[in-house]
Structure formats: structure tokens, C-alpha cells
Amino acid sequence: MHRTHTCGELTLNDLGKEVTLAGWVQKSRDLGGMTFIDVRDRYGITQLLFNMDDNAGLCEQARGLSREFVIKVTGLVVERSNKNPKMPTGDVEIKVTKLELLNAAKLPPFLIEEETDGGDDLRMKYRYLDLRRSPVRNNLILRHKMAQEVRKYLDAQDFLEVETPVLIKSTPEGARDFVVPSRMNPGEFYALPQSPQTFKQLLMVSGFDRYFQIVKCFRDEDLRADRQPEFTQIDCEMAFIEQEDILNTFEGLIRHLFKAIKDIDIDAVPRLYYQDAMRMYGSDKPDTRFGMLFTELNEIVKGHNFPVFDGAELVVGVNASGCAHYTRKQLDELTDFIKRPQIGATGLVYCRYNTDGTLKSSVDKFYGEDELKKWAVAFNAQPGDLMLIMAGPTEKVRKQLNELRLEMGNRLGLRDKNKFSPLWVLDFPLLEWDEETGRYHAMHHPFTSPKPEDIALLDSNPGAVRANAYDLVINGTEVGGGSIRIHSRDLQSLMFKHLGFTPEEAQKQFGFLMNAFEYGAPPHGGIAFGFDRLVSIFAGLDSIRDVIAFPKNNSGKDVMIDSPATISEEQLKELCIKTTV
């Protein structure tokens, strides 16, 4: 072994010991008669002491070291005269008697310190250097610990970890597949799995009644902070259960993770129906760390000759407590925010409830003091509050107001990353209409079971059918979603029919699953958690890239290894793929 100890473990209890350390030079300080070097490994930093009076040659050798040189040192553990309470090893230093240079290093393109001067693109190009920084390393240590705790909890619940195939069949539902050409079967393609959905259902048919897998999945979709083309799921399935069993089991997993990783006790996770979530928050993944619930105003604002309100399907707003002092400039900023193309609102109405009890709105021309008092009552507003109101088509305006609510939460400091508010959202619509294709699509996936009492509506009113589906939301981010599955061939065939599949298409794509249902499929259901998202929430980060060892950028590229890349004409020919110029 190159070392007897790591750079993060020596304390006053080790005084007088001869030790050998190995690591990278963090920084050096030449004080003339003495040289101090900080040596770093994944466990921490230890200070090294080179004294000119003791060994001038060794001291000169130390002066020749630069940042990120790989070294090995032997010496005695001594007490530091200037201790550093911020470091676990800050009470001691190594009085070096032997120094060996294991490898020299070029000057890194950015500082390898907690606060670096490297931008995102530069750090991704040299990700192997960025991984040396303690914040990035700590994120991956957190990821490792969470994965171990997931396995620990699920193993105790009698779940079996089973690996499922990575080269599978492309399916028409969901996001775009990444496809892989088959050399041995010219003109045919594998797909990389968006999830192990059908395989875990087949495992339930096989009698593996509790399955899980921490598994890589792939989706060829547009990227953003919480999406990557390849991502990791905690994928789970259970047989002989009902929805309540799933909720209780995996609420238990989340509570276990918070306790084991962050020493936080999570109370029973509240539940909210999809329709109520949309009505109260305008989102199926509401951030419930703060209030500011929606207030609908149709009954009290219409009929006053204000065209914007009179012509709207829904008039709705939020009460920003304590914000009556907002200036015209601040209100204009909020208006500009909701007018951004990503949100697409046309305007914002506001009403100040001044601390002196008076009410002043941006539409005083249409609404007098008595009418504005009705607004204040509806909002349960108090002097000092600011009412923010929007109008438009119901679904659209709710989504727009949700964006404004979240922005106000940010501005008021209500979205504390150290506060955690999990929530179950239940009873999603089974189907959603797609104007572009002119047909219904599965909101989750085509294997989701409808509520038994709604099955009759599939023929008469498919848009009203509720799914036996549930999402787990934490701090406004969907971290997990699942459903009770269809386990009857007849019902699965009916579902495919309403999704626009002909019987022949359904048999070609999913015949293996429907055939399996004929051999005694048990009632079953499951859930999948976005592991990257879950880790990023525990780490207090906005982007999942920071908890992935080698992530892709926003264009889906790995700029470190220059991927994706072209392949040779010879490889293309082997795969029977023709290229056009």
C-alpha cells in the first residue's frame, strides 16, 4: 500500500506516529525557512511541514511541487501551532522525513477548490478534475449512501433486486426511444429502455411478488435541469396489493431515507387529489412548503364592464402576504415575468391592501372601494397584503398563475431548500387528448388501470376516466410516480383500443404481455422514483447534473469524451445503414 492513513483521519490521538500519506497537492506556502503543503485525497486534507533547518534538500524538493502533483510522504504526526478548527485534521500536521513524487501534473484549467473559477462548460470538459472538488465528491458520496439505504429498506421488506434487459423493443407510447441497430439482424433495431415497465410486470406474472432495481433508463427528449438522456430510477413492483399498500410501503421508504440520511423525521405524507391540486395550485406537482393557494373570483368580479374579467373562463389570483409595499417597478417586473414566451400570459391585475386599510387596484376605473373589499374578503387578505390576479381559459391561466406563485415564493424566500414537504397526488386522468394527433394518449402509460368505477366511461366519456395512479412530490418536484396495473387481457385490449391501436398493432407491439396475462396474472402495481432528482433534493441542488458522475450538457453531449460522435463508413456498412450527404 502507498499509504498507512488517509488525508482525513489523523487527530491528536495519533501524535508521535510515523505515517505515510499519498494524494494530490492542494496548495503550498513557502515561508522561507519552512514550507507548508496541503495534501488532499477523497477523505480530506492534511498539512505537511518541511523545515529547512532539518533537511534543506527535502525542503527544496517540496518547493518544486505545484498544484495537483501526486505525491507520497512519510513523517511524524506533530501538533500544529496554528490550528484550523474548520478541518477534521486541523489539530495536527506531518513533519515530513521522506517525499516521493508519484506523478507531475499540468496546471489545471480551473481552481480545484470548493469555490472554483471554472464555468459549467469548462468543468464538464474536465469532469475528472471537477470530481476532485469536495462539493462534487460529497454529492456522489450522498448518492452512494442513498442507494445503500434504498437497498437496505427494500431488502427488509422482502423485495428482490432483479436485472432486466437493456436491449429491448421500441414502443410507440411515451418519449422518443434511443435505438440501436442490430448487425446480426439487418434492418432491425433494439431500443434502450425508457423504463423496465413490461419486464417488471412479467416478473409479477412469474411470481416474483416484490421486485426492485436501481436501473439506468434512456429517453431521447429535450433536456433541462432535471432531465438527462440517461437517468437512474428506483424501479419497484408488487403483486397481490392495492393502492394503499403501495402508498404505505413507499412512503415508508421516503421516511427511512430522510431519517437515515438527514436525521429528519417526516410526518405522515398528506394526500391531494389531482383535481384539487390543479384547482388550488395550478399544478399536479405543487410546492407545499408555503401557502398562497389560489382564490377563484368569477362570482365577485364579473359584470362590472371590465372586458378582461367578463370575457374570461376563469378569474383567479393569489394573496402575497406583506407585499402591499411593492413599487410600480416591482409590479412591472412581475408582469414582464408572466408575459415571457415560456408562460404566455397577457397581463396582471393587482390590488394593494394598504396598511391604513385603504384598497388600491390597477383597475379602479371598474371597481370601487366596496367591490375591492369583497376581493379582500375572498382572499382573506389583511392590511399590508398584495392581491395578484390573472384571467383566461381555465387550464391555461391556472398554469400561468402557478408560475407566478412559484416566482413570488422565490422572491419572498419561502422555498427553503432545507425544508422538505412531501405530498402524494392521487387519481390522475387516465387519458389526455392530443390535438396534434387527434386522439387520446395515456397520461402515464398504457398499462395503468382505470378506477374500476370509471371503466364504463371509457366508451362514453374517456376524458373523465380516472387512473389508479399516484405521484410523490417533494418541494414542487415529482420524484416518483406509479399506478395499479391492468392485469386482465380483455381490459388491456380495451385500453389499447381507446389509445388508437388496431388489434393487430396491439398484438405486434405488446402481444407478449397480453399473452402472459392469460396464464394467471395477479393484481399488481408499482412505482418508480427518479433517483437523480431525489438525490439532488437531498443535496439542496437545482440540477441533477451535479449528482451524476459524468453527465451530459443541455445539448445531450458529453464534451469530455466528445460524444455523440460519427462512426466510420465501415461500421455503417456492417449495420446496413446508408448515409446521405
Side-chain angles (χ1 to χ4, degrees):
M1 297 289 287
H2 274 290
R3 58 191 178 187
T4 61
H5 296 76
T6 70
C7 296
E9 67 176 300
L10 296 173
T11 67
L12 290 173
N13 293 328
D14 300 297
L15 290 179
K17 287 182 181 178
E18 183 179 72
V19 300
T20 299
L21 304 181
W24 289 263
V25 172
Q26 175 78 11
K27 58 185 176 182
S28 62
R29 299 175 297 284
D30 184 0
L31 303 183
M34 290 187 294
T35 296
F36 294 95
I37 289 178
D38 289 345
V39 62
R40 179 195 72 241
D41 62 13
R42 83 171 231 214
Y43 303 95
I45 295 174
T46 298
Q47 180 170 284
L48 310 178
L49 167 63
F50 298 84
N51 195 319
M52 183 69 77
D53 294 336
D54 294 335
N55 191 327
L58 192 63
C59 201
E60 285 299 328
Q61 189 182 355
R63 288 173 176 172
L65 300 175
S66 295
R67 283 179 179 265
E68 301 310 310
F69 276 35
V70 188
I71 62 172
K72 174 182 175 181
V73 297
T74 298
L76 294 176
V77 181
V78 298
E79 190 169 0
R80 281 177 64 161
S81 56
N82 58 331
K83 297 181 180 180
N84 184 349
K86 295 181 180 178
M87 291 170 52
T89 61
D91 291 333
V92 299
E93 61 191 3
I94 308 302
K95 190 174 183 180
V96 179
T97 57
K98 183 180 178 182
L99 167 64
E100 181 182 347
L101 176 62
L102 299 176
N103 213 334
K106 292 170 63 175
L107 186 68
F110 53 86
L111 289 174
I112 299 178
E113 295 180 354
E114 289 205 12
E115 297 296 330
T116 183
D117 57 352
D120 286 349
D121 292 341
L122 187 62
R123 289 188 293 110
M124 287 190 71
K125 182 174 178 61
Y126 296 93
R127 183 64 168 176
Y128 48 87
L129 296 179
D130 196 34
L131 288 169
R132 294 180 186 175
R133 297 194 308 115
S134 57
V136 184
R137 183 175 63 249
N138 289 340
N139 290 340
L140 294 184
I141 292 171
L142 172 66
R143 184 187 182 102
H144 163 77
K145 289 180 178 177
M146 289 183 67
Q148 298 310 307
E149 291 297 336
V150 167
R151 288 188 168 96
K152 180 179 173 181
Y153 174 86
L154 292 175
D155 180 66
Q157 300 289 324
D158 290 330
F159 282 78
L160 295 175
E161 186 166 11
V162 182
E163 295 180 37
T164 52
V166 173
L167 295 175
I168 64 167
K169 184 179 184 179
S170 182
T171 58
E173 290 292 316
R176 296 184 190 90
D177 288 324
F178 282 102
V179 294
V180 181
S182 171
R183 178 184 60 82
M184 298 180 67
N185 301 278
E188 297 183 342
F189 295 81
Y190 300 105
L192 301 181
Q194 297 183 31
S195 87
Q197 180 61 45
T198 54
F199 288 100
K200 65 180 179 178
Q201 290 190 248
L202 291 171
L203 285 169
M204 297 303 104
V205 177
S206 303
F208 289 77
D209 63 346
R210 293 195 170 202
Y211 142 94
F212 87 98
Q213 187 179 187
I214 299 179
V215 60
K216 271 292 181 74
C217 301
F218 307 85
R219 291 180 187 173
D220 187 6
E221 59 186 357
D222 296 336
L223 305 182
R224 56 189 188 215
D226 61 350
R227 283 184 181 170
Q228 284 274 294
E230 54 180 306
F231 57 96
T232 304
Q233 283 185 182
I234 307 168
D235 198 61
C236 308
E237 198 81 1
M238 302 172 71
F240 301 111
I241 47 82
E242 297 178 342
Q243 177 175 288
E244 193 67 24
D245 302 302
I246 298 280
L247 300 185
N248 290 335
T249 300
F250 292 101
E251 182 174 319
L253 172 61
I254 292 301
R255 296 174 74 177
H256 171 78
L257 287 174
F258 272 109
K259 184 62 179 176
I261 301 295
K262 301 189 76 68
D263 196 26
I264 293 174
D265 291 307
I266 296 291
D267 294 331
V269 177
R271 301 176 183 186
L272 190 64
Y273 291 113
Y274 170 86
Q275 293 291 351
D276 292 332
M278 298 304 296
R279 177 177 55 82
M280 296 162 61
Y281 298 97
S283 171
D284 60 3
K285 46 181 184 293
D287 187 343
T288 53
R289 282 173 291 182
F290 65 105
M292 216 178 289
L293 275 62
F294 289 9
T295 298
E296 297 185 359
L297 300 167
N298 281 21
E299 293 185 6
I300 61 174
V301 301
K302 291 199 170 191
H304 291 267
N305 299 318
F306 180 42
V308 173
F309 286 175
D310 287 348
E313 186 178 2
L314 177 66
V315 182
V316 62
V318 292
N319 180 28
S321 179
C323 293
H325 63 279
Y326 264 38
T327 64
R328 181 57 185 267
K329 180 182 178 181
Q330 288 173 300
L331 291 166
D332 287 343
E333 287 174 354
L334 292 178
T335 303
D336 291 340
F337 171 80
I338 62 168
K339 284 184 175 181
R340 293 184 310 161
Q342 304 95 306
I343 300 176
T346 55
L348 178 67
V349 172
Y350 67 85
C351 178
R352 290 192 184 92
Y353 196 163
N354 297 313
T355 53
D356 63 4
T358 61
L359 290 148
K360 179 70 176 175
S361 81
S362 55
V363 287
D364 281 350
K365 177 179 177 182
F366 302 97
Y367 299 92
E369 183 86 6
D370 289 343
E371 294 303 323
L372 296 181
K373 285 180 181 177
K374 294 178 183 177
W375 293 17
V377 170
F379 279 106
N380 196 26
Q382 305 298 318
D385 292 352
L386 175 68
M387 292 162 269
L388 301 170
I389 303 166
M390 299 174 68
T394 298
E395 186 175 331
K396 187 175 180 181
V397 76
R398 281 176 173 164
K399 290 179 179 178
Q400 292 166 345
L401 187 60
N402 169 59
E403 296 294 336
L404 179 61
R405 174 183 179 267
L406 296 177
E407 175 66 12
M408 290 303 299
N410 288 331
R411 291 184 176 221
L412 297 174
L414 301 175
R415 305 183 75 188
D416 182 357
K417 291 179 180 177
N418 295 311
K419 180 181 178 182
F420 301 96
S421 182
L423 171 76
W424 286 110
V425 179
L426 311 175
D427 290 8
F428 286 79
L430 181 70
L431 306 168
E432 56 185 346
W433 181 257
D434 187 305
E435 292 289 348
E436 189 174 327
T437 59
R439 68 180 180 90
Y440 281 104
H441 288 262
M443 181 169 267
H444 281 72
H445 54 61
F447 316 108
T448 297
S449 174
K451 289 281 185 183
E453 60 269 31
D454 290 357
I455 291 176
L457 296 173
L458 277 170
D459 288 319
S460 59
N461 188 8
V465 178
R466 296 167 299 160
N468 234 330
Y470 32 82
D471 280 359
L472 184 70
V473 176
I474 301 178
N475 295 357
T477 297
E478 176 206 330
V479 298
S483 65
I484 300 301
R485 321 301 188 190
I486 296 170
H487 66 280
S488 154
R489 179 180 181 121
D490 289 343
L491 182 56
Q492 188 65 74
S493 297
L494 182 62
M495 182 68 171
F496 284 139
K497 172 188 171 184
H498 285 283
L499 292 172
F501 288 76
T502 66
E504 294 75 21
E505 288 170 336
Q507 182 65 31
K508 181 180 178 182
Q509 291 290 340
F510 302 108
F512 65 93
L513 182 65
M514 292 193 292
N515 291 343
F517 286 168
E518 295 184 321
Y519 290 91
H524 60 281
I527 192 167
F529 293 94
F531 187 52
D532 311 294
R533 289 184 185 180
L534 200 55
V535 177
S536 67
I537 288 174
F538 273 60
L541 299 170
D542 294 323
S543 173
I544 65 171
R545 289 197 318 198
D546 297 320
V547 300
I548 297 172
F550 298 102
K552 307 291 190 291
N553 68 11
N554 287 339
S555 300
K557 287 182 173 290
D558 185 329
V559 294
M560 182 183 67
I561 64 171
D562 192 23
S563 171
T566 57
I567 61 174
S568 69
E569 287 293 329
E570 184 179 345
Q571 286 176 291
L572 291 170
K573 187 177 179 180
E574 272 191 327
L575 296 168
C576 299
I577 296 176
K578 295 179 180 180
T579 58
T580 56
V581 179

Short mmCIF file of all heavy atoms in Angstrom, two decimals, residues 19 53 86 161 182 188 229 233 264 278 286 327 361 399 480 489 505 535:
data_model
loop_
_atom_site.label_atom_id
_atom_site.label_comp_id
_atom_site.label_asym_id
_atom_site.label_seq_id
_atom_site.Cartn_x
_atom_site.Cartn_y
_atom_site.Cartn_z
N VAL A 19 3.75 8.00 9.84
CA VAL A 19 2.67 7.69 8.91
C VAL A 19 3.13 7.95 7.49
O VAL A 19 4.07 8.69 7.24
CB VAL A 19 1.39 8.51 9.21
CG1 VAL A 19 0.88 8.23 10.60
CG2 VAL A 19 1.65 10.00 9.02
N ASP A 53 15.83 23.83 8.32
CA ASP A 53 16.87 23.50 9.29
C ASP A 53 17.05 22.00 9.46
O ASP A 53 18.15 21.51 9.73
CB ASP A 53 16.55 24.14 10.65
CG ASP A 53 16.60 25.66 10.61
OD1 ASP A 53 17.30 26.19 9.72
OD2 ASP A 53 15.93 26.31 11.44
N LYS A 86 -11.68 24.35 11.33
CA LYS A 86 -12.60 24.05 10.24
C LYS A 86 -12.26 22.73 9.54
O LYS A 86 -13.03 22.26 8.71
CB LYS A 86 -12.58 25.19 9.21
CG LYS A 86 -13.10 26.51 9.76
CD LYS A 86 -13.08 27.59 8.69
CE LYS A 86 -13.60 28.92 9.25
NZ LYS A 86 -13.55 30.00 8.22
N GLU A 161 -33.89 -7.78 -5.85
CA GLU A 161 -33.32 -6.95 -6.92
C GLU A 161 -33.07 -7.84 -8.12
O GLU A 161 -32.29 -8.79 -8.05
CB GLU A 161 -32.04 -6.28 -6.46
CG GLU A 161 -31.49 -5.30 -7.48
CD GLU A 161 -30.41 -4.39 -6.91
OE1 GLU A 161 -29.95 -4.64 -5.78
OE2 GLU A 161 -30.04 -3.43 -7.60
N SER A 182 -29.10 -3.53 -35.14
CA SER A 182 -28.63 -4.89 -34.92
C SER A 182 -27.82 -5.36 -36.13
O SER A 182 -28.37 -5.48 -37.24
CB SER A 182 -29.81 -5.85 -34.69
OG SER A 182 -29.37 -7.19 -34.69
N GLU A 188 -33.09 -4.25 -38.57
CA GLU A 188 -33.86 -4.31 -37.33
C GLU A 188 -33.10 -3.60 -36.21
O GLU A 188 -31.87 -3.49 -36.25
CB GLU A 188 -34.16 -5.76 -36.95
CG GLU A 188 -35.03 -6.47 -37.98
CD GLU A 188 -35.39 -7.89 -37.59
OE1 GLU A 188 -34.72 -8.46 -36.72
OE2 GLU A 188 -36.35 -8.42 -38.17
N PRO A 229 -30.45 12.55 -20.87
CA PRO A 229 -30.85 11.48 -21.80
C PRO A 229 -30.74 10.10 -21.17
O PRO A 229 -31.48 9.19 -21.53
CB PRO A 229 -29.87 11.64 -22.97
CG PRO A 229 -28.75 12.49 -22.46
CD PRO A 229 -29.33 13.34 -21.40
N GLN A 233 -33.45 5.22 -12.17
CA GLN A 233 -34.71 5.04 -11.44
C GLN A 233 -34.54 4.03 -10.31
O GLN A 233 -33.76 3.08 -10.43
CB GLN A 233 -35.80 4.50 -12.38
CG GLN A 233 -36.42 5.51 -13.30
CD GLN A 233 -37.58 4.94 -14.10
OE1 GLN A 233 -38.14 5.64 -14.91
NE2 GLN A 233 -37.93 3.69 -13.88
N ILE A 264 -33.93 13.51 9.70
CA ILE A 264 -35.17 14.28 9.72
C ILE A 264 -36.34 13.31 9.84
O ILE A 264 -36.43 12.34 9.08
CB ILE A 264 -35.33 15.14 8.45
CG1 ILE A 264 -34.26 16.24 8.41
CG2 ILE A 264 -36.73 15.76 8.38
CD1 ILE A 264 -34.27 17.04 7.12
N MET A 278 -54.87 20.91 -9.04
CA MET A 278 -54.97 21.87 -10.14
C MET A 278 -55.78 23.09 -9.73
O MET A 278 -55.45 24.22 -10.10
CB MET A 278 -55.59 21.20 -11.37
CG MET A 278 -54.78 20.04 -11.93
SD MET A 278 -53.08 20.47 -12.36
CE MET A 278 -53.33 21.67 -13.66
N PRO A 286 -47.42 20.41 -6.89
CA PRO A 286 -47.36 21.69 -6.18
C PRO A 286 -46.26 21.72 -5.12
O PRO A 286 -45.96 20.71 -4.47
CB PRO A 286 -48.74 21.80 -5.54
CG PRO A 286 -49.21 20.40 -5.39
CD PRO A 286 -48.65 19.66 -6.56
N THR A 327 -43.36 48.33 -5.27
CA THR A 327 -43.37 49.53 -6.10
C THR A 327 -43.93 49.21 -7.48
O THR A 327 -44.07 48.05 -7.87
CB THR A 327 -41.95 50.07 -6.26
OG1 THR A 327 -41.15 49.09 -6.96
CG2 THR A 327 -41.30 50.35 -4.89
N SER A 361 -56.34 49.41 -6.56
CA SER A 361 -56.10 48.39 -7.58
C SER A 361 -55.67 49.04 -8.89
O SER A 361 -55.77 50.25 -9.07
CB SER A 361 -57.37 47.57 -7.81
OG SER A 361 -58.26 48.25 -8.67
N LYS A 399 -52.08 27.30 -14.97
CA LYS A 399 -50.66 27.02 -15.14
C LYS A 399 -49.84 28.31 -15.08
O LYS A 399 -48.73 28.33 -14.52
CB LYS A 399 -50.43 26.29 -16.47
CG LYS A 399 -50.98 24.87 -16.48
CD LYS A 399 -50.75 24.19 -17.82
CE LYS A 399 -51.27 22.75 -17.80
NZ LYS A 399 -51.10 22.08 -19.12
N GLY A 480 -41.44 10.65 -7.87
CA GLY A 480 -41.86 9.28 -8.10
C GLY A 480 -43.26 9.22 -8.64
O GLY A 480 -44.08 10.10 -8.37
N ARG A 489 -56.29 -9.44 -19.77
CA ARG A 489 -56.09 -9.26 -21.22
C ARG A 489 -57.23 -8.47 -21.83
O ARG A 489 -57.01 -7.59 -22.68
CB ARG A 489 -55.95 -10.62 -21.92
CG ARG A 489 -55.76 -10.45 -23.43
CD ARG A 489 -55.62 -11.73 -24.20
NE ARG A 489 -55.41 -11.39 -25.62
CZ ARG A 489 -54.36 -11.74 -26.33
NH1 ARG A 489 -53.40 -12.46 -25.79
NH2 ARG A 489 -54.26 -11.39 -27.60
N GLU A 505 -52.01 -4.14 -34.35
CA GLU A 505 -50.91 -3.32 -33.83
C GLU A 505 -50.64 -3.64 -32.37
O GLU A 505 -49.48 -3.73 -31.94
CB GLU A 505 -51.26 -1.83 -34.00
CG GLU A 505 -51.21 -1.34 -35.43
CD GLU A 505 -51.78 0.07 -35.57
OE1 GLU A 505 -52.60 0.48 -34.72
OE2 GLU A 505 -51.41 0.75 -36.54
N VAL A 535 -31.81 12.51 -5.15
CA VAL A 535 -30.52 12.87 -4.56
C VAL A 535 -30.30 14.38 -4.63
O VAL A 535 -29.82 14.99 -3.67
CB VAL A 535 -29.37 12.12 -5.27
CG1 VAL A 535 -28.02 12.56 -4.71
CG2 VAL A 535 -29.52 10.62 -5.13
#
